[in-house]
Amino acid sequence: MIWFLSAMEDNAEREKIEILYTTYKTWMWYLANSVLRDPQLAEDAVQEAFIALMRHLHKIEDPFEASTKSFLATIVKNKAIDILRKRQKTEEPIEEIIGGTRTDVLDQLLEKQTVEELVAAIKKLKDHYRIVLEYKFLHNLEDKEIAELLGISPRLYRVRLFRARQQLAEILKKEGVKS
């Protein structure tokens, strides 16, 4: 990280990246590790996220806004998924990635899906449903935290999560379950 900072000519940008790094590096590592389940790979994902962030630093006004945290979550999640895809020679069931028990139809479908299939299906959802699922399953954020990040009530969050799961189940059914 030090060599990144030394390469930066703009003091304001250098200060902003230092604030982001010290404030969010541990949280970003936890997000990456929840996807990768490997501490060293999670560190790599965080470093790659900060490299990518250098190109998009102009998009961040205030390092302490909720939108900044959301933006960083998206970047580190994508970097973790990229690393996972590179390392994944054989298809691994999505249950290994998101964990948990499976009781409803969606959960049964998820057991048979790979990460790539699930991500592709989630991308087909409307943004307000897609974002809820990404925060819940890919970022492993708490329900209350997701509602706060989205600026909605916990009740509306639960409604969106329910509807998102229903729509995701329909998409996965239409695409057919791998056996």
Side-chain angles (χ1 to χ4, degrees), residues 56-179:
H56 302 285
L57 201 54
H58 64 279
K59 295 179 181 177
I60 297 176
E61 298 279 330
D62 179 5
F64 302 105
E65 287 182 351
S67 61
T68 298
K69 191 172 185 180
S70 176
F71 183 61
L72 293 173
T74 301
I75 292 173
V76 76
K77 174 212 52 149
N78 287 337
K79 293 301 176 184
I81 290 172
D82 289 346
I83 290 171
L84 188 64
R85 285 183 183 145
K86 288 176 189 173
R87 294 188 49 94
Q88 202 173 24
K89 300 293 181 204
T90 60
E91 293 185 349
E92 183 178 329
I94 190 64
E95 64 193 6
E96 296 296 321
I97 303 303
I98 63 173
T101 59
R102 307 286 186 254
T103 55
D104 66 358
V105 174
L106 176 60
D107 290 333
Q108 292 169 10
L109 291 169
L110 290 177
E111 287 182 6
K112 308 244 184 211
Q113 301 303 119
T114 63
V115 173
E116 291 81 12
E117 292 167 327
L118 181 61
V119 170
I122 288 173
K123 285 182 179 179
K124 293 178 182 177
L125 295 172
K126 292 180 181 176
D127 283 347
H128 58 279
Y129 294 134
R130 177 187 51 78
I131 291 168
V132 167
L133 289 177
E134 285 179 356
Y135 283 155
K136 181 74 174 170
F137 295 119
L138 298 177
H139 299 298
N140 289 330
L141 299 178
E142 297 294 327
D143 294 353
K144 182 179 177 184
E145 188 175 12
I146 296 170
E148 288 174 5
L149 279 172
L150 296 175
I152 60 176
S153 70
R155 183 173 183 192
L156 179 56
Y157 161 74
R158 286 189 301 274
V159 169
R160 283 188 185 175
L161 179 62
F162 176 77
R163 290 178 181 164
R165 291 174 61 90
Q166 282 183 320
Q167 289 183 11
L168 183 59
E170 290 174 22
I171 290 169
L172 293 173
K173 280 182 189 177
K174 287 179 185 175
E175 293 179 355
V177 178
K178 292 175 66 174
S179 44

